[in-house]
Amino acid sequence: MTMRITKEKTERGLLQQVKELAGVDLRVCFQCKKCSSGCPVGDWVESPPAQIMRRLHLGAGDELLESDLVWVCVSCQTCSARCPMGIDVAAVMDALRTLALEKGADSARGTVPKFNRAFLGSVRRYGRTYDMGMIASYKFRTFSFMKDTDKFPQMLKKRKIALLPSFKADRKTVKRIFKTTQRPKGGQK
Amino acid sequence: MKLAYYPGCSAESTARDMHRSTLAVAGALGIKLVEPQGWSCCGATAAHQTDPVLAAALPAANLLLAGDMGLDMVASCAACYNRLKSANHHIVNDPALRRQVRDAIGRDYDGSVRVRHFLEVLFEDVGLDAIRPALQRSLSEVKVACYYGCLLVRPPGVMNFDDPENPTFLDDLVELMGGKSLDWPCKVDCCGGGLAMSRTDVVVQLTDAILAMAQKAGADCIAVSCPMCQVNLDMRQKDIAKTTGRRYDLPIVYITQLLGLCLGIAPEELGLEKLFVPPTKIIDALGAEM
Ligand code: SF4
Ligand code: SF4
């Protein structure tokens, strides 16, 4: 395995930022790779979790935010559960995603962040998720209009999709939360 | 026994069946569930993949509602349960986050409202000994692969919910109901969860592996407790058949649906008609009528 690392020039490199966001000390990682072996997507990605940890530790910069695992990670938390050093690896992955959004990384333009934006957009609007609105918005963002449309009639028939949004949530509080937590280049637009 | 009940957004769409069967089982066992007025989304995977304050503030707003009612908060959806409980954990352990959450909501929350899963209530408050005499039908040796997925048990330090690698509470319930719980290796594997729409390719491969293992173990059905697991495993069987030619025809039932049936509740009250793969075999084995 070859690893390419571009050292950050500033002292507050990615490592420090990740540490602040995730609240974990990843210097104790001794590269046992248990996180990678349990990772359900470990076989498909170029940078499994242990490699991400190593690169961070060695002082990698923003290029790390373009690693495939950043958005393929399904947040299953198997890595965190199995790390013998008790490192919350999944929290590191969350931190990398937050940073990718904030710094406008290329990876933040993929389908997963687009889906998250559509999802959170519907929560901000209605206080609860509204599938139809969210799916329409996601499909619009990704131009994937036809994907999974074969499931729609059956889901509607089984009432597995609500036709109208719910208006019972405390929308004022939810709007306030979104307003206050909106990060500079946040992914909630 | 009275608890605040957090249905979660999927209760109004993809997981009406989970919601209805939870309410039916609670009713049959004398558990009173009260929905807090104005509850809102917990933020799910999308929030914690976006912003840590958002991920804590959305659940906290709901926990404050339960706190005002003076009740514990119970969830049936594994994902909501995980988000509510994680928010508590982070707010208690991170004073800076607690302040940020306070600014976001406009009210301080100390992380003290107890978060429970509906199954925890069944085990700890009701107790298996009290459930046993209430059973009216037996699962009569139906072979059930219990699938826990990620969110009930991980991360273990936060969830503290049974053994994180080999949990048994679903198996215990199945055995109590007279079914045969299978020994199989995919109990806590991941189905791809929240990537259902954005990375369908990943989900199809992960669910295929889980379904294949359940079939190999001889399962008649898979019991779940998470709406994302249910939808992924149930709905993707068609896609898998299309892309790989492998057919499973395995019903994916909520544990509350199985329990409801055994408690003598009618299948339509449990939303069993909503499953993509019809659970005909199980309903027949139980001698219920759909
Ligand atoms: S499991 Fe923990 S210690 Fe082992 S490589 Fe992964 S992060 Fe490092
Ligand atoms: S949380 Fe992400 S990185 Fe960790 S094991 Fe799961 S998919 Fe892999």
Side-chain angles (χ1 to χ4, degrees), chain B residues 147-162:
Chain B
Y147 178 64
Y148 300 77
C150 308
L151 297 162
L152 283 177
V153 289
R154 283 194 292 268
V158 178
M159 304 315 287
N160 293 317
F161 197 102
D162 206 340

Side-chain angles (χ1 to χ4, degrees), chain A residues 21 40-41 44 70-82 88 94 97-98 101 111-112 115-117 119-120 123 127-129 131 134-135 138-139 147-148 150-151 154-155 158-162 166 168-171 173-174 176-178 180-183 186-188, chain B residues 9-10 12-14 16-17 37-41 43-54 57-58 61 82-83 90 102-106 150-151 154-156 165 188 190 192 194-202 205-206 230-231 235-236 238-239 242 273-276:
Chain A
L21 272 166
V41 296
W44 305 332
V70 172
W71 293 103
V72 182
C73 160
V74 287
S75 295
C76 72
Q77 320 216 43
T78 310
C79 47
S80 304
R82 294 186 183 165
D88 192 347
D94 269 345
R97 282 182 282 260
T98 303
L101 292 170
T111 56
V112 179
F115 174 81
N116 288 351
R117 269 198 284 283
F119 183 98
L120 293 174
V123 177
R128 294 182 192 168
T129 44
D131 300 336
M134 173 181 86
I135 292 167
Y138 172 70
K139 287 194 177 290
K147 211 172 118 204
D148 278 341
D150 57 318
K151 311 254 171 11
Q154 230 192 335
M155 289 195 81
K158 290 184 182 283
R159 293 184 68 210
K160 278 202 167 245
I161 284 190
S166 160
K168 290 192 213 132
D170 174 1
R171 294 198 284 164
T173 305
V174 174
R176 193 194 146 112
I177 292 173
F178 273 94
T180 340
T181 53
Q182 197 115 37
R183 284 171 166 266
Q188 298 152 31
Chain B
C9 303
S10 63
E12 296 174 334
S13 55
T14 46
R16 274 171 200 275
D17 32 8
Q37 289 287 317
W39 64 265
S40 47
C41 177
T45 311
H48 79 75
Q49 290 199 340
T50 302
D51 182 298
V53 185
L54 185 68
L58 288 171
N82 187 292
R83 292 328 306 160
H90 293 302
R102 182 197 60 203
D103 295 344
I105 304 179
C150 308
L151 297 162
R154 283 194 292 268
E165 295 293 347
V188 293
C190 175
L195 295 185
M197 282 194 66
S198 43
R199 286 299 301 266
T200 315
D201 54 328
V202 175
Q205 291 205 42
L206 292 175
Q230 200 283 331
V231 171
M235 207 174 79
R236 294 292 164 202
K238 235 187 180 169
D239 296 324
K242 225 186 284 164
E273 76 288 353
K274 296 197 184 297
L275 307 185
F276 277 83

Side-chain angles (χ1 to χ4, degrees), chain B residues 91-103:
Chain B
I91 287 169
V92 166
N93 290 299
D94 183 348
L97 179 72
R98 178 171 165 183
R99 278 193 298 277
Q100 286 167 302
V101 167
R102 182 197 60 203
D103 295 344

